[in-house]
């Protein structure tokens, strides 16, 4: 080779990138079952609060600040910038907490970026849906749609749902 360092060199990528090693223990692994359940429920509630408040700042500005732009897409950049800065700050805190040796899993970087791009497109369209349909209509449509698509993938692609009873339950859930 050229003698240039590869991103897969052990000095550059943490040993935790090899998931088969199993030598890195997560803090959750040290919790009791009750502690794990409490932690999971707490994180679900926190996530739900953030998810529920996601569109409140731009909606508040559009409804209460005189002269503010009324096109919801005008707020997408600031919304995404806030998300990026928060994520970057958390990454820095994590890197400092790990002594500048964070666990890196290089095989998920490109899929993660692709997922982020798809999420950004969907989130932008959600801004449009909120503007055109109102929250009470847009929210149920947008939050249940991906679950229905996922369930249909489970039926037709992965064969996860089988049996007449399960198909009936799925049909009731979708309806």
């Amino acid at each position: 080779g050229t003698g240039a360092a590869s991103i897969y060199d052990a000095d550059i990528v943490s040993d935790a990138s090899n998931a088969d090693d199993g030598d890195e223990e997560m803090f959750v692994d040290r919790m009791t079952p009750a502690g794990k359940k409490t932690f999971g429920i707490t994180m679900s509630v926190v996530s739900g609060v953030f998810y529920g408040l996601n569109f409140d700042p731009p909606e508040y500005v559009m409804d209460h600040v005189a002269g503010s732009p009324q096109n919801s897409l005008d707020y997408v950049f600031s919304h995404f910038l806030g998300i990026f800065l928060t994520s970057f700050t958390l990454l820095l805190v994590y890197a400092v907490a790990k002594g500048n040796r964070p666990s890196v899993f290089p095989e998920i970087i490109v899929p993660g970026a692709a997922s982020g791009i798809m999420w950004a497109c969907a989130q932008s369209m959600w801004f449009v849906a909120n503007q055109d349909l109102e929250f009470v209509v847009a929210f149920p449509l947008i939050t249940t749609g991906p679950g229905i698509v996922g369930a249909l993938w489970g039926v037709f692609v992965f064969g996860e749902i089988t049996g007449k009873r399960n198909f009936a339950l799925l049909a009731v859930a979708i309806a």
Side-chain angles (χ1 to χ4, degrees):
T2 62
S6 164
I7 62 166
Y8 298 105
D9 287 347
D11 292 340
I12 296 172
V13 177
S14 168
D15 289 337
S17 66
N18 186 352
D20 294 333
D21 288 348
D23 60 353
E24 181 149 338
E25 184 179 51
M26 302 292 294
F27 73 95
V28 185
D29 296 331
R30 294 186 298 271
M31 292 181 166
T32 65
K36 288 179 183 180
K37 187 174 188 176
T38 302
F39 180 73
I41 291 170
T42 302
M43 292 295 98
S44 295
V45 169
V46 169
S47 176
V49 167
F50 286 141
Y51 192 52
L53 297 174
N54 190 23
F55 294 103
D56 286 352
E59 282 295 317
Y60 181 85
V61 170
M62 287 191 292
D63 292 344
H64 295 93
V65 177
S68 63
Q70 295 302 300
N71 183 351
S72 61
L73 289 177
D74 292 338
Y75 299 91
V76 169
F77 178 75
S78 61
H79 188 77
F80 287 9
L81 183 61
I83 293 167
F84 173 76
L85 291 176
T86 301
S87 299
F88 185 70
T89 300
L90 291 172
L91 175 65
L92 289 178
V93 168
Y94 169 68
V96 168
K98 294 284 285 185
N100 200 26
R101 303 247 340 131
S103 298
V104 178
F105 301 90
E107 61 274 0
I108 66 166
I109 293 172
V110 172
S115 174
I117 291 167
M118 290 188 294
W119 173 86
C121 292
Q123 189 79 349
S124 298
M125 294 305 100
W126 197 344
F127 270 94
V128 172
N130 284 338
Q131 179 178 322
D132 293 344
L133 299 175
E134 297 297 323
F135 280 136
V136 296
V137 175
F139 188 83
L141 289 175
I142 291 171
T143 57
T144 57
I148 292 170
V149 171
L152 293 176
W153 272 75
V155 170
F156 297 112
V157 177
F158 299 110
E160 297 169 332
I161 300 172
T162 58
K164 290 180 184 179
R165 180 177 180 273
N166 291 333
F167 284 127
L169 288 172
L170 178 62
V172 169
I174 290 175

